[in-house]
Amino acid sequence: MSGADTTSNLTKAAGLPESFHAGRFAGKVVMVTGAAQGIGWSVARRIAAEGGDLVLVDRAPLLHEVAEGLRAHSAHALSVTADLETYEGALAAVAAAKDEFGRIDVLINNVGGTIWAKPYEHYTPQEIQKEIQRSLFPTLWMCRAAFEMMITAGGGTIVNVSSVATRGMNRVPYAAAKGGVKAITSALAMEGAPHGIRVVATAPGGTEAPERQVKRGPAPQGEQEQAWYQAIVDQTVDSTLLKRYGTLDEQSAPIVFLASDEASYITGATLAVAGGDLG
């Protein structure tokens, strides 16, 4: 099967636009975390369609079905289930990539997401810790686990996924975690530059996506919790200039651009992808 045919089949299978760049990631090994659903799912399909070899990481077994679907359309996709909230899980993911491909050229850190939605005074200490553990540590651990390999290889690219919710309603612990992701990006870019390593990030806004098959947390219960969640939705839309949520394609395309060689003169920056909301 030709490269053009492979790209066309991947496009049709994933419902992606025809306008992305065939061959842009040819010869590249790209690791995508949180790849079983949502933005990570969309990024993985774009990378596959653009010719990259993939290492997909998630703690949900659903990930293996995603990889199998890509392999059915001639993509080279390794799936690794790991808990990236632990350093041991991050090390295991990197080791699997090294065993399969010998290196990681691009690391896309996508794991994270709000678990609860409520005013800060209603969070328990345990819930605060879980939010930080969920949305900060996977990026912190993965950067640590992959950085030495990239230094040894003489270069690489890390794309982190932060959020414009660093200024938002009813998500203070999540905002703190994603603010930390932005700080990792700017600080690690300074350390990575002498080694030929770029570190960049996007900050997504509200994003429309199919209902998650694996939930991040409990659905809002009762009128009060539903009202707190609705306040997030209303504030998210009101804060955008375009007055709407984005799509998965609108989030994954900037991530894939920043991961590519086309963005070779961009490092240390976080790009808001939120319809004009800068966070």
Side-chain angles (χ1 to χ4, degrees):
M1 181 180 289
S2 71
D5 289 340
T6 299
T7 297
S8 178
N9 284 342
L10 283 165
T11 300
K12 293 174 182 176
L16 295 177
E18 297 282 352
S19 60
F20 56 81
H21 305 277
R24 183 162 57 170
F25 285 89
K28 299 274 191 179
V29 178
V30 183
M31 175 177 278
V32 183
T33 73
Q37 303 178 90
I39 292 173
W41 176 91
S42 183
V43 167
R45 279 154 178 74
R46 281 184 174 270
I47 296 291
E50 296 193 8
D53 292 328
L54 281 162
V55 183
L56 308 181
V57 188
D58 205 294
R59 65 184 177 189
L62 173 65
L63 178 75
H64 300 306
E65 296 179 25
V66 172
E68 184 178 349
L70 292 175
R71 289 193 294 268
H73 293 87
S74 302
H76 192 173
L78 171 70
S79 56
V80 182
T81 50
D83 182 1
L84 301 184
E85 292 181 16
T86 70
Y87 186 46
E88 292 75 17
L91 286 173
V94 169
K98 186 175 183 180
D99 289 344
E100 181 76 8
F101 295 108
R103 68 188 194 281
I104 299 170
D105 298 309
V106 178
L107 168 62
I108 299 174
N109 287 314
N110 174 66
V111 172
T114 305
I115 304 173
W116 292 279
K118 51 189 172 182
Y120 192 41
E121 67 269 23
H122 291 277
Y123 278 87
T124 67
Q126 293 77 18
E127 288 170 343
I128 293 169
Q129 187 167 354
K130 285 181 179 180
E131 291 277 13
I132 299 296
Q133 196 74 27
R134 170 68 175 168
S135 290
L136 175 62
F137 274 94
T139 296
L140 198 62
W141 292 142
M142 283 304 305
C143 285
R144 177 64 183 85
F147 205 61
E148 284 185 86
M149 182 187 293
M150 289 185 173
I151 290 174
T152 300
T157 300
I158 297 173
V159 183
N160 298 323
V161 178
S162 180
S163 174
V164 294
T166 48
R167 190 176 74 88
M169 292 286 295
N170 295 347
R171 290 181 285 180
V172 168
Y174 173 71
K178 287 301 191 178
V181 170
K182 185 176 180 180
I184 292 168
T185 301
S186 58
L188 194 59
M190 297 184 73
E191 296 189 19
H195 303 287
I197 301 170
R198 293 191 304 113
V199 187
V200 290
T202 66
T207 305
E208 292 179 351
E211 185 176 354
R212 294 181 62 86
Q213 296 186 52
V214 180
K215 307 296 185 185
R216 291 195 184 108
Q221 302 294 318
E223 291 185 7
Q224 181 61 84
E225 288 191 1
Q226 291 174 18
W228 287 337
Y229 183 80
Q230 187 61 45
I232 288 178
V233 174
D234 294 342
Q235 180 259 305
T236 298
V237 174
D238 288 345
S239 295
T240 71
L241 301 182
L242 299 182
K243 303 304 177 188
R244 64 172 177 85
Y245 271 36
T247 68
L248 288 177
D249 282 338
E250 287 173 325
Q251 294 297 344
S252 61
I255 291 170
V256 172
F257 162 70
L258 287 174
S260 76
D261 290 340
E262 294 178 72
S264 59
Y265 197 52
I266 303 173
T267 194
T270 297
L271 173 65
V273 187
D277 181 2
L278 302 180

